[in-house]
Amino acid sequence: MAYRYWCGECSFKTPWLTESQGEQQQIEHYAKRHPGVPPGGHVEVDRRNPVGGRGCLQMVAIALLLLILAASCRR
Protein backbone atom coordinates (compact mmCIF):
# COMPACT_ATOMS: atom_id res chain seq x y z
CA MET A 1 0.00 0.00 0.00
CA ALA A 2 1.01 3.60 -0.50
CA TYR A 3 0.58 6.33 2.08
CA ARG A 4 0.34 10.13 1.84
CA TYR A 5 0.71 12.19 5.01
CA TRP A 6 -1.05 15.55 5.30
CA CYS A 7 0.09 18.30 7.66
CA GLY A 8 -2.47 19.44 10.22
CA GLU A 9 -1.05 22.96 10.31
CA CYS A 10 -0.65 23.88 6.63
CA SER A 11 -1.29 22.49 3.14
CA PHE A 12 1.84 20.29 3.02
CA LYS A 13 1.42 16.69 1.92
CA THR A 14 3.99 14.01 1.19
CA PRO A 15 4.09 12.14 -2.11
CA TRP A 16 2.82 8.55 -2.14
CA LEU A 17 5.41 6.61 -0.15
CA THR A 18 5.77 3.61 2.11
CA GLU A 19 4.37 4.12 5.58
CA SER A 20 7.75 4.64 7.23
CA GLN A 21 9.02 7.00 4.51
CA GLY A 22 5.87 9.13 4.68
CA GLU A 23 5.98 9.29 8.45
CA GLN A 24 9.64 10.32 8.36
CA GLN A 25 8.94 13.10 5.85
CA GLN A 26 6.06 14.38 7.98
CA ILE A 27 8.29 14.44 11.08
CA GLU A 28 10.98 16.34 9.15
CA HIS A 29 8.37 18.80 7.83
CA TYR A 30 7.07 19.53 11.34
CA ALA A 31 10.59 19.97 12.71
CA LYS A 32 11.43 22.44 9.94
CA ARG A 33 8.16 24.36 9.47
CA HIS A 34 6.35 23.96 12.82
CA PRO A 35 9.00 23.55 15.54
CA GLY A 36 7.62 22.59 18.91
CA VAL A 37 4.32 21.35 17.46
CA PRO A 38 3.77 17.58 17.58
CA PRO A 39 3.12 16.05 14.13
CA GLY A 40 -0.57 15.85 13.31
CA GLY A 41 -2.90 15.84 10.35
CA HIS A 42 -4.14 12.73 8.67
CA VAL A 43 -2.91 9.83 6.56
CA GLU A 44 -4.38 8.91 3.19
CA VAL A 45 -4.07 5.26 2.13
CA ASP A 46 -4.03 4.11 -1.50
CA ARG A 47 -4.64 0.36 -1.50
CA ARG A 48 -4.56 0.22 -5.31
CA ASN A 49 -0.97 1.43 -5.59
CA PRO A 50 1.56 -0.75 -3.75
CA VAL A 51 4.76 1.21 -3.39
CA GLY A 52 7.75 -0.99 -4.10
CA GLY A 53 5.55 -3.84 -5.26
CA ARG A 54 7.23 -4.09 -8.64
CA GLY A 55 10.30 -5.90 -7.32
CA CYS A 56 8.46 -9.18 -6.95
CA LEU A 57 6.81 -8.81 -10.34
CA GLN A 58 10.19 -8.20 -11.98
CA MET A 59 11.65 -11.30 -10.33
CA VAL A 60 8.74 -13.44 -11.56
CA ALA A 61 9.12 -12.05 -15.10
CA ILE A 62 12.85 -12.80 -15.14
CA ALA A 63 12.29 -16.32 -13.82
CA LEU A 64 9.63 -16.90 -16.48
CA LEU A 65 11.93 -15.67 -19.25
CA LEU A 66 14.73 -17.91 -18.02
CA LEU A 67 12.36 -20.87 -17.93
CA ILE A 68 11.21 -20.19 -21.51
CA LEU A 69 14.83 -19.79 -22.63
CA ALA A 70 15.84 -23.05 -20.97
CA ALA A 71 12.86 -24.88 -22.52
CA SER A 72 13.61 -23.55 -26.01
CA CYS A 73 17.27 -24.61 -25.83
CA ARG A 74 16.37 -28.15 -24.88
CA ARG A 75 16.15 -30.37 -27.98
Side-chain angles (χ1 to χ4, degrees):
M1 286 187 280
Y3 298 84
R4 184 184 322 184
Y5 284 73
W6 293 74
C7 178
E9 311 302 319
C10 67
S11 61
F12 171 80
K13 64 183 175 196
T14 67
W16 291 106
L17 300 166
T18 64
E19 188 173 13
S20 60
Q21 291 171 329
E23 184 177 7
Q24 184 61 40
Q25 279 198 9
Q26 185 186 39
I27 291 169
E28 291 170 3
H29 167 76
Y30 266 82
K32 188 178 195 180
R33 302 288 184 192
H34 313 291
V37 177
H42 69 278
V43 180
E44 187 177 359
V45 179
D46 185 2
R47 298 180 196 284
R48 298 172 293 128
N49 183 14
V51 174
R54 290 187 179 170
C56 183
L57 180 60
Q58 289 173 348
M59 293 298 290
V60 170
I62 291 170
L64 185 60
L65 287 173
L66 289 174
L67 183 62
I68 291 170
L69 181 63
S72 67
C73 292
R74 200 171 203 211
R75 278 189 160 185

